[in-house]
């Protein structure tokens, strides 16, 4: 509930005006049965058309004023609810951006997307309905009961018995449904995860003819969501029939008592009609309240899930006034570094130590899962080491501010990611102040200038995920995005995998000749990608087993020699 109070503070005035206008509308609605009663008891018996017309005019004024009050309340409640959701979504997105890679891995992308979309929409709907109905419905219910006592106290005892009983039922259903709707949202996470995985991997699924298996798996999680939703819906649906049964039983009892009292002369026909109208008002408002309870239950369940994300405090913090780099010291230095991704998992890296000077070219090679990407993820501090220390220009990476560390390091990730927009937009992510001349220079160094011009230049469109570019083209654009930054440390995480041998050779020559002479770290699974480096680190099972130049490693490292031999087709892997 803290989320609702925190994010509605900004819309305090609207949150007050909306229910006030709704209560004003409700007050007019409560006066209508009294006017109708007077028409029946005073106007009709006396055939006083003037009185009847006057009363009809009063009803018309009530209706017009009620309409104005209702529209005004709807406006304020909608504005407060939309503003609440918008602010909450922005803050939640910002908070997610502060979480470390390990925290994002733990929560899962699908769950975070659900929090930002479905859960916030449920909370927004709950706020909107609450501002409109939370005060209005109880006000009408209790107001109708009070007005009924002013009409005929004995007959109104029926209301006094029915309303508390209905309140108990509504409260009980609310307590039961809240955890059920949280379970529904958890099942929605699984469905969203399945959709995301299948859409991202649709080519793989088709290539291996796995459509039927994935459809079957998706059908399974969808049935789980269906079952959870159906169970929660069945419990919630109890409210409407129970409300109808109790209120209609009250109507029957009211008409019976009213008929007896009219026959005895203790009550007028208009009073019976007025009481009946108050009964209908109570029925309608209790049905609204029942639906409100369901929506609020779902909104609270969504809000609690959102609160769990806010409760996840960033486990990786940066000093505001961090250290300054000492460019006379090694660009990167690892001292007995270990890394473990989970508390109960084994070490992904063990006792890693090496030094890399600025201007050098360092190669990292090894089989899949040997720890290559893990070791370079520690340099820009995507993850924190669980043992040992990582230094960048003589300072522990934990001593740098986030801004300074970003300025020192440029990374080309293993998966080339482009965002929707233009080529210029994507390149400027590396340096938003870069000129077109600098962008074109970076594109030339990345061997991307020619094909970008063929597609329309820097303003050529880039679809979401770079779907309108080939894998090699995307890799070259992401390399250009890293180069535009001109950081003293450039990390290429298997960034040549989609390139042909000639393009890779030409790009490597361009990178090795960069005028600002950065430390270049190249991660590769092929010796061709690292053979020209000044020093090559061979990784096996999270450890450095050998280091040296290409020619040295061919003599001293069986693992490196084997990788080199298999590339040339001199050995078969069984």
């Amino acid at each position: 509930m803290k989320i609702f109070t925190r994010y509605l503070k900004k819309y305090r005035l609207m949150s007050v005006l909306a229910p006030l206008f709704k209560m004003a509308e409700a007050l007019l609605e409560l006066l209508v049965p009294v006017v109708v009663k007077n028409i029946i008891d005073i106007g009709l018996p006396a055939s006083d058309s003037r009185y009847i017309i006057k009363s009809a005019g009063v009803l018309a004024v009530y209706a017009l004023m009620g309409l104005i009050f209702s529209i005004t309340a709807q406006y304020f409640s909608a504005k407060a609810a939309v503003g609440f959701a918008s602010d909450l979504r922005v803050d939640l997105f910002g908070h997610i951006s502060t979480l470390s890679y390990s925290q994002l891995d733990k929560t899962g992308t699908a769950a975070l997307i659900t929090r930002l979309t479905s859960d916030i929409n449920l909370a927004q709907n709950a706020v909107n309905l609450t501002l409109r109905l939370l005060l209005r419905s109880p006000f009408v219910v209790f107001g109708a009961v009070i007005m009924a006592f002013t009409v005929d106290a004995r007959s109104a005892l029926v209301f006094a018995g029915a309303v508390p009983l209905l309140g108990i039922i509504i409260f009980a259903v609310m307590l039961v449904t809240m955890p059920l709707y949280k379970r529904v949202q958890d099942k929605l996470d699984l469905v969203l995860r399945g959709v995301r995985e299948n859409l991202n991997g649709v080519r793989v699924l088709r290539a291996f003819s796995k459509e039927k298996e994935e459809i079957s798996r998706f059908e399974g999680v969808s049935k789980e969501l269906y079952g959870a939703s159906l169970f929660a819906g069945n419990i919630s649906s109890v409210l409407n029939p129970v409300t109808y049964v109790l209120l209609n039983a009250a109507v029957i009892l009211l008409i019976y008592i009213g008929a007896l009292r009219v026959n005895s002369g203790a009550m007028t026909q208009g009073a019976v009609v007025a009481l009946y109208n108050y009964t209908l008002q109570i029925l309608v408002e209790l049905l609204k309240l029942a639906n409100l309870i369901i929506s609020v239950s779902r909104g609270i369940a969504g809000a609690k899930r959102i609160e769990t994300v806010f409760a996840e405090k960033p486990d990786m913090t940066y000093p505001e006034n961090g250290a300054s780099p000492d460019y006379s010291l090694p660009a990167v230095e690892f001292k007995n570094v270990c890394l473990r991704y989970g508390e109960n998992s084994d070490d992904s890296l063990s006792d890693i130590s090496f030094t890399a000077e600025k201007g050098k070219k360092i190669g990292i090679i090894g089989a899949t899962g040997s720890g290559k990407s893990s070791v370079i993820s520690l340099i820009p501090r995507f993850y924190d080491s669980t043992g040992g220390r990582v230094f960048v220009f003589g300072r522990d990476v934990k001593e740098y501010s986030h801004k300074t560390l970003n300025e020192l390091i440029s990374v080309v990730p293993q998966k080339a990611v482009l965002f929707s927009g233009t080529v210029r937009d994507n390149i400027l992510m590396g340096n938003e102040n870069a000129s077109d001349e600098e962008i074109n220079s970076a594109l030339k160094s990345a061997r991307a200038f020619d094909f970008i011009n063929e597609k329309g230049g820097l303003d050529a469109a880039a679809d979401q995920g770079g779907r309108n570019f080939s894998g090699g083209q995307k890799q070259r654009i992401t390399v250009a995005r890293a180069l535009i930054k001109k950081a003293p440390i450039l990390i290429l995480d298997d960034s040549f995998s989609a390139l042909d041998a000639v393009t890779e050779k030409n790009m490597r020559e361009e990178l090795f000749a960069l005028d600002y002479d950065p430390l270049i770290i190249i991660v590769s699974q092929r010796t061709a990608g690292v053979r020209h480096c000044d020093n090559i680190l061979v990784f096996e099972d999270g450890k450095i087993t050998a280091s040296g130049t290409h020619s040295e490693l061919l003599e001293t490292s069986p693992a490196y020699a084997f990788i080199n031999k298999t590339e040339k087709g001199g050995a078969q892997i069984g």
Side-chain angles (χ1 to χ4, degrees):
M1 295 300 291
K2 292 180 181 177
I3 282 180
F4 293 105
T5 54
R6 187 193 320 157
Y7 285 93
L8 282 173
K9 283 182 181 178
K10 183 178 175 182
Y11 307 95
R12 197 176 296 138
L13 181 62
M14 297 175 191
S15 300
V16 172
L17 291 176
L20 285 179
F21 276 102
K22 270 295 181 181
M23 290 176 68
E25 179 208 356
L27 182 61
L28 294 175
E29 189 174 325
L30 291 173
L31 296 175
V32 170
V34 176
V35 178
V36 174
K37 172 183 177 296
N38 291 335
I39 291 174
I40 295 172
D41 290 344
I42 300 173
L44 292 178
S47 299
D48 189 346
S49 57
R50 184 178 178 183
Y51 183 84
I52 295 173
I53 293 172
K54 180 182 177 182
S55 298
V58 171
L59 292 176
V61 171
Y62 284 173
L64 179 60
M65 291 178 65
L67 177 63
I68 294 171
F69 290 155
S70 177
I71 292 175
T72 306
Q74 300 270 17
Y75 170 78
F76 284 129
S77 61
K79 194 165 184 179
V82 171
F84 157 85
S86 178
D87 293 346
L88 176 58
R89 187 173 284 111
V90 169
D91 282 0
L92 182 60
F93 185 81
H95 179 73
I96 290 172
S97 299
T98 66
L99 300 179
S100 67
Y101 277 37
S102 56
Q103 289 175 299
L104 296 176
D105 294 341
K106 179 182 176 182
T107 306
T109 304
L112 293 174
I113 292 174
T114 308
R115 303 294 194 280
L116 282 164
T117 53
S118 177
D119 288 336
I120 289 182
N121 288 340
L122 290 175
Q124 175 184 333
N125 189 46
V127 169
N128 193 3
L129 290 177
T130 298
L131 294 179
R132 287 162 46 194
L133 299 175
L134 186 63
L135 291 180
R136 183 191 190 282
S137 291
F139 179 78
V140 171
V141 170
F142 290 108
V145 172
I146 294 170
M147 294 297 290
F149 272 95
T150 65
V151 174
D152 186 75
R154 185 176 296 181
S155 300
L157 291 174
V158 175
F159 297 96
V163 171
L165 183 59
L166 281 170
I168 293 171
I169 294 172
I170 289 172
F171 185 72
V173 171
M174 180 179 176
L175 288 179
V176 173
T177 54
M178 279 178 59
L180 294 179
Y181 281 117
K182 182 180 182 299
R183 184 166 170 259
V184 169
Q185 291 301 106
D186 291 339
K187 296 296 181 184
L188 183 60
D189 284 347
L190 298 178
V191 172
L192 183 60
R193 185 175 67 187
V195 171
R196 187 173 182 274
E197 287 178 348
N198 279 275
L199 291 178
N200 287 339
V202 63
R203 295 184 179 182
V204 177
L205 296 176
R206 290 179 179 177
F208 290 94
S209 300
K210 292 294 182 180
E211 294 95 336
K212 290 184 179 179
E213 288 87 341
E214 287 304 311
I215 290 172
S216 177
R217 187 163 71 94
F218 184 78
E219 185 179 1
V221 294
S222 296
K223 283 183 177 178
E224 290 181 12
L225 175 62
Y226 168 77
S229 300
L230 187 64
F231 184 66
N234 285 338
I235 300 297
S236 299
S237 65
V238 170
L239 278 175
N240 281 0
V242 168
T243 304
Y244 270 114
V245 168
L246 285 177
L247 263 295
N248 281 306
V251 168
I252 293 171
L253 185 59
L254 177 65
I255 293 175
Y256 175 74
I257 294 173
L260 294 178
R261 290 178 63 75
V262 169
N263 286 335
S264 66
M267 187 175 176
T268 64
Q269 293 177 345
V272 175
V273 172
L275 290 173
Y276 178 72
N277 284 335
Y278 284 128
T279 306
L280 293 181
Q281 287 183 358
I282 292 173
L283 174 61
V284 170
E285 293 305 321
L286 285 176
L287 291 176
K288 288 181 181 178
L289 192 60
N291 291 323
L292 171 64
I293 295 299
I294 295 171
S295 296
V296 168
S297 298
R298 300 186 67 181
I300 291 175
K304 285 183 176 179
R305 283 159 51 86
I306 295 168
E307 281 181 343
T308 59
V309 179
F310 278 119
E312 191 83 25
K313 301 302 179 185
D315 59 9
M316 190 179 290
T317 57
Y318 295 85
E320 291 185 12
N321 299 312
S324 298
D326 184 347
Y327 293 107
S328 65
L329 295 174
V332 172
E333 186 176 6
F334 277 60
K335 290 185 177 180
N336 308 114
V337 172
C338 300
L339 175 65
R340 184 184 301 117
Y341 285 109
E343 293 181 1
N344 300 320
S345 63
D346 297 330
D347 283 345
S348 297
L349 297 174
S350 301
D351 197 28
I352 302 297
S353 297
F354 69 90
T355 300
E357 302 284 346
K358 187 177 183 297
K360 296 294 184 180
K361 283 70 182 173
I362 305 298
I364 296 178
I365 193 169
T368 301
S370 60
K372 304 185 301 297
S373 294
S374 294
V375 74
I376 59 143
S377 69
L378 299 176
I379 302 172
R381 210 182 166 199
F382 293 157
Y383 296 91
D384 273 338
S385 61
T386 50
R389 300 177 72 184
V390 179
F391 295 88
V392 170
F393 290 112
R395 306 284 185 251
D396 192 311
V397 290
K398 296 179 182 178
E399 297 177 13
Y400 285 114
S401 67
H402 191 261
K403 183 176 181 292
T404 302
L405 198 58
N406 282 344
E407 290 172 349
L408 292 174
I409 303 167
S410 214
V411 181
V412 182
Q414 192 170 18
K415 181 180 179 182
V417 177
L418 297 181
F419 297 88
S420 57
T422 64
V423 172
R424 179 186 279 105
D425 295 334
N426 278 275
I427 301 296
L428 288 177
M429 286 184 175
N431 179 6
E432 60 183 14
N433 299 316
S435 64
D436 285 0
E437 183 181 350
E438 291 174 311
I439 295 174
N440 287 326
S441 176
L443 288 171
K444 288 175 181 177
S445 296
R447 291 288 169 169
F449 182 77
D450 292 338
F451 76 80
I452 291 298
N453 275 345
E454 290 173 4
K455 286 182 174 287
L458 297 179
D459 291 319
D463 293 344
Q464 182 183 1
R467 289 188 301 251
N468 56 330
F469 294 99
S470 68
Q473 289 174 336
K474 286 193 289 185
Q475 282 191 337
R476 282 180 275 175
I477 294 173
T478 55
V479 170
R481 182 168 61 198
L483 293 178
I484 199 74
K485 196 172 180 180
K486 293 188 176 180
I489 299 173
L490 175 62
I491 300 174
L492 303 163
D493 186 5
D494 204 11
S495 304
F496 304 149
S497 58
L499 303 181
D500 60 85
V502 175
T503 304
E504 179 181 347
K505 176 179 177 294
N506 292 335
M507 186 190 292
R508 186 170 56 249
E509 290 176 352
E510 291 279 358
L511 295 178
F512 283 12
L514 290 171
D515 56 4
Y516 59 96
D517 203 22
L519 163 66
I520 299 178
I521 299 176
I522 300 176
V523 176
S524 179
Q525 298 184 57
R526 301 178 299 167
T527 59
V530 297
R531 65 187 302 157
H532 299 288
C533 291
D534 300 313
N535 189 34
I536 303 168
L537 307 177
V538 181
F539 274 72
E540 291 184 80
D541 298 325
K543 299 177 181 178
I544 298 177
T545 57
S547 65
T549 63
H550 174 70
S551 57
E552 290 172 347
L553 289 173
L554 288 177
E555 300 295 331
T556 60
S557 173
Y560 186 85
F562 179 75
I563 295 172
N564 185 68
K565 191 176 181 180
T566 55
E567 284 180 32
K568 295 181 178 180
Q572 298 294 324
I573 300 176

